[in-house]
Amino acid sequence: MMKRSWTILSAAIVIAAGAWGYYAWRHMRADMENPVVASGGSPPGVEATAQSTSPTPLRATRPSAPTSEQPSAMPVDEKSIEERADAAEPTAGVLANQPPSNAQPVEITLSQPPKPASPAIDTLESARQAVQRGEFIRARTEFAAALRMELTDEEQAEARNELLRIAQTLIFSRAIGTGDPLVEVHTVAAGDTLYSIGRQYMVTEELLAKINQLADPHRLRVGQTLKVVRGPFSAIISKTHHRMDVYLEDILVRSYRVGLGVNGGTPTGTWAVNTKLINPDWTDPTTNQHYLAEDPDNPIGERWLGLEGLAGEAVGRTGFGIHGTIDPESIGQNMSLGCIRLKPDDVAEVYELLVDRHSRVTVVP
């Protein structure tokens, strides 16, 4: 009985194995006779990749048994695949990455990065605020600092004008700013003269008389108080701008237009004021014509400040000076023999500011 059962079981296994092998062989043959090419599209259930560039046959693996919900494999119609692929192409008039025609445009504004802080602008603004608060000594210091920095032409003009305006009040009037390091009060002692006081502070007696509005500079009283300026003044002459700037220490206090030497004949460098004359005689070195004092035709006018070269191209040079002119049209031009010309009123002021032996004049390109 046992032997018979094993015989039946073996036969059943052989029959089942044969049926399964025949079924698998049949489906494999059908797939080999109908390869699927992934060029124009993909059959349902198969995902084609965008990178496919050559036909790739899809090989069947072990199939699952068909059910009522899963029909058996059917031959693939290549023509229908191509038609479906064509239908999937974008229609005419529709471009990739282009929004629909009814989309509303969106305006995007990119915020600008903040400008880096400028020390010159910050200093200039601080000086403006000091003026508004009435702190003129601080404003003067900061305008002077800003002027040594990199400014636009408009900002330079603003700083220069403010310095000149402040100087008119703090330096050239009777007013004394509290804590101003450039001026002080001098009490007249026995034996003091305006000349001796000026020499003590390295300024001219003419300037002291004008600042203190003295009716008679030769009549001082013991105990009298005078406003004095701590000199000396110095000057910088720009050949490019035809301009003389007068400084007290590093503070701009006066500015004048000048005439200079023909063909660049005014030597650059540092000069010392060594002589000062009112209504001088003068001899023209080119014609040897001599002009007497008080002569209205004297080309150098009524003031002469002789210069001695100390440094640069000026070293060892003599015969140059600062003087007036009877030809105001030459101011701002290169028409002199090398000297520095000023208008009559301007040279009179410069004469009161610069002190012989102490004041320096620097000529820059």
Side-chain angles (χ1 to χ4, degrees), residues 130-131 134-144 163 166 170 176-183 251:
V131 169
E135 300 174 1
F136 296 110
I137 296 175
R138 178 175 180 179
R140 181 181 66 190
T141 300
E142 294 186 340
F143 276 124
L163 284 169
I166 293 172
L170 296 183
I176 299 178
T178 303
D180 190 345
L182 301 182
V183 301
I251 305 296

Side-chain angles (χ1 to χ4, degrees), residues 27-310:
H27 280 274
M28 184 180 296
R29 181 179 179 185
D31 290 340
M32 293 178 64
E33 290 176 353
N34 298 280
V36 178
V37 178
S39 59
S42 303
V46 178
E47 181 179 356
T49 62
Q51 290 79 9
S52 299
T53 57
S54 60
T56 304
L58 303 180
R59 300 189 179 185
T61 57
R62 184 180 223 179
S64 58
T67 64
S68 59
E69 296 180 356
Q70 180 180 352
S72 59
M74 298 181 63
V76 178
D77 187 349
E78 295 183 3
K79 181 177 181 181
S80 65
I81 292 175
E82 293 176 358
E83 290 176 351
R84 287 195 301 272
D86 292 340
E89 293 294 329
T91 58
V94 179
L95 301 178
N97 298 325
Q98 179 172 311
S101 60
N102 60 350
Q104 296 297 323
V106 178
E107 183 177 352
I108 300 176
T109 302
L110 299 178
S111 60
Q112 297 294 327
K115 293 183 178 180
S118 167
I121 299 303
D122 291 345
T123 303
L124 194 60
E125 182 58 31
S126 179
R128 293 172 183 145
Q129 294 176 5
V131 169
Q132 294 176 356
R133 295 191 301 267
E135 300 174 1
F136 296 110
I137 296 175
R138 178 175 180 179
R140 181 181 66 190
T141 300
E142 294 186 340
F143 276 124
L147 198 58
R148 294 189 292 270
M149 300 178 185
E150 189 172 343
L151 298 175
T152 65
D153 291 344
E154 182 178 352
E155 291 164 345
Q156 283 190 18
E158 176 190 358
R160 290 175 59 84
N161 290 337
E162 287 296 322
L163 284 169
L164 297 177
R165 185 175 67 87
I166 293 172
Q168 184 59 40
T169 300
L170 296 183
I171 303 298
F172 301 111
S173 76
R174 297 187 66 182
I176 299 178
T178 303
D180 190 345
L182 301 182
V183 301
E184 67 176 81
V185 176
H186 176 85
T187 302
V188 177
D192 277 350
T193 65
L194 213 55
Y195 176 82
S196 66
I197 296 171
R199 282 296 169 183
Q200 179 181 343
Y201 293 97
M202 291 183 287
V203 293
T204 67
E205 58 182 309
E206 293 90 349
L207 179 64
L208 293 178
K210 179 181 289 187
I211 290 176
N212 291 280
Q213 302 177 4
L214 299 179
D216 186 352
H218 302 290
R219 297 183 62 181
L220 299 179
R221 302 186 317 272
V222 174
Q224 181 180 358
T225 58
L226 300 174
K227 174 183 176 179
V228 295
V229 178
R230 292 174 175 171
F233 291 89
S234 61
I236 297 178
I237 297 169
S238 169
K239 296 177 70 172
T240 300
H241 299 98
H242 288 87
R243 184 177 68 204
M244 173 190 286
D245 290 336
V246 178
Y247 289 84
L248 187 57
E249 294 188 0
D250 61 348
I251 305 296
L252 175 67
V253 295
R254 283 285 190 260
S255 186
Y256 309 94
R257 293 280 288 166
V258 298
L260 299 171
V262 66
N263 297 324
T266 304
T268 59
T270 303
W271 305 78
V273 176
N274 62 358
T275 57
K276 296 177 67 177
L277 299 171
I278 296 177
N279 291 326
D281 292 353
W282 184 69
T283 300
D284 189 329
T286 60
T287 64
N288 288 324
Q289 182 174 352
H290 184 73
Y291 296 90
L292 297 175
E294 306 291 346
D295 187 341
D297 294 328
N298 189 340
I300 67 171
E302 297 180 356
R303 298 289 188 277
W304 169 265
L305 294 90
L307 300 177
E308 177 186 356
L310 300 179

Side-chain angles (χ1 to χ4, degrees), residues 341-356:
R341 294 181 178 180
L342 293 122
K343 293 180 179 179
D345 290 344
D346 292 344
V347 75
E349 282 192 358
V350 171
Y351 191 91
E352 293 175 350
L353 297 176
L354 302 185
V355 178
D356 57 308

